[in-house]
Amino acid sequence: LFIFNLCLGLIFLSGFFHMKNKNYIISKSHKELLIPSTPCRAKTNVMFLKTHKTASSTVLNIMFRFAERYNLTIALPAGQLVHLGYPKTFLAHFVEEFQAIGQNYNIMCNHLRFNPSEVQKVMAANTTYFSILRNPIPLLESSYVYYKDDVPAFRISKDVNEYLASPMKYYYPTDYKQNIYARNIMWFDFGYNNNAEDNKKYIQAVLKEIEQNFHLILIADYFDESMILLKHTLCWDLDDVIYFKLNSRSQDTVQTLTPESKERIKAWCSLDWKLYLHFNQSFWRRIEETIGLEELEKEVNHLRMRQKELMETCLLDQEAVGKDHIKNKALLPFQSGATNILGYNLKQDLDNRTLRTCQKMVMPELQYTSYLYAVQHPHKKRKQLGLPLLWTSFQE
C-alpha cells in the first residue's frame, strides 16, 4: 500500500503544471476511484477571433486573466491601435513587436478581421483557434443601438424596425467600411465579403473553410454552456472561465423588434443566419460527444455558484450598474451610440490579493488592453485612450 501511495503521489506531482485529470472512471457498484484517464495539459497557445456584439468582451477578459495567471505573451495591437488593424484585413505587423517576438506569442484575442495566413505568422503551429457567434436577430438590434452614431445606414433611419423595413434605402454597399456593422457582421469578421450573394455552394465552401481554420465555435446565446465546453477543450480550470458579464447595456436602451423585423433579419443577414444555424448545431453535437448533457448541467451549475460567490466577494451592488452609478471612473467602460454600457463597483475593504482578482474581473476592455501593453512593452509609449489616469495606479 505504501508503494502504491508513493507511486500515486509521484503521478500527481508530475502533473503540477496545471495538468488536470479529465475523467475518473467511476465503477458504479463500488463508487470507487479507479485509474484516472490520461491527464491533459492546459493549452497555452490560443487564438480567439473576437467577433462584434457577441459577448466577446467577456471572453477577452477571460483570455487576458489567463495570460496573466501563466505569464503568457499576448499579441497586442501595435502603437496607439486598440484593435489589430480592424476593419482592415489582419496583417502580422499590426501586432506590437512582431518583428522581434516572431511566432512566440501565446495568446491573441483583440478585434481583428481574420486572415489565416497572417495570423499563422504570429501564432505557433500548435495554437488552438476558437471564436463565438450569436443569433443574428438580437445581434443586429444590439449593433443598431451600439453603432447608431457611427454607421451611415443606422444614423439616417429612425429606429431598428424602420431600418429593417427597407434596409437598401439606407444601406450603400460602397460605404462598406462604415456599414459593415449593418449587415452580416460575423461573416465580415471571419474575413469574408458581407455583401456576397447568398449562394448555396459559396456558403458551403465558407463553412467548410471555417471548420478547417477553427477548432471550436462557441454560441453566445448559451454562454455558460460555451464556457464549460471551452474549459474542456483547452483543459483549463473552472476558475479560468469564471467571468462577470462585461460590456452589456441597460435594458432601457433595447429596441423591441417586431415579428416582421425578426424575419427580415434572417433574409437581410442571411449569410450570418446560415453561419449561426450551422455552428449552433455543431456546438450541441460537440457537447453531446464530449461532455454529455447531464454532466454539462452539473458543470454549468457549479460555474454559476462560483460566479455568485465571487460577485458576493467583489461587488458592492451584487450586479452591474449604469454608467452614472460607477463610482471609480477608472472602471467606466467605453460608451458608444445610444447605449448605456454597464460596469461595476467594487467593495471597499478587500485585501490586496482579493482586490487585484476583483479588479481584473471588472476591468473594461480598453483599460485592460492598455494596462497589459504597459506591462508587456514597458519602453513603449502608453496607449492614449483618453481614459482617466486613475486606473494606471492599479498595479503601480
Side-chain angles (χ1 to χ4, degrees), residues 277-303:
L277 289 181
H278 177 84
F279 284 105
N280 183 39
Q281 249 182 338
S282 66
F283 172 80
W284 289 106
R285 199 164 53 238
R286 178 82 166 262
I287 279 176
E288 280 175 14
E289 286 165 6
T290 57
I291 306 171
L293 292 174
E294 208 177 311
E295 177 61 23
L296 175 75
E297 195 183 345
K298 270 189 225 158
E299 293 200 37
V300 163
N301 287 336
H302 196 175
L303 174 89

Side-chain angles (χ1 to χ4, degrees), residues 113-114 187-194 202 205-206 209-210 213:
R113 187 173 186 213
F114 194 61
W187 200 260
F188 181 88
D189 287 350
F190 274 87
Y192 302 101
N193 174 8
N194 60 320
Y202 165 68
V206 167
E209 200 166 81
I210 292 173
N213 287 328

Side-chain angles (χ1 to χ4, degrees), residues 306-325:
R306 182 77 184 108
Q307 184 187 45
K308 190 169 178 285
E309 211 174 279
L310 274 166
M311 288 185 113
E312 282 165 8
T313 303
C314 294
L315 304 179
L316 200 57
D317 315 271
Q318 305 294 303
E319 59 179 6
V321 297
K323 59 183 178 188
D324 301 330
H325 298 283

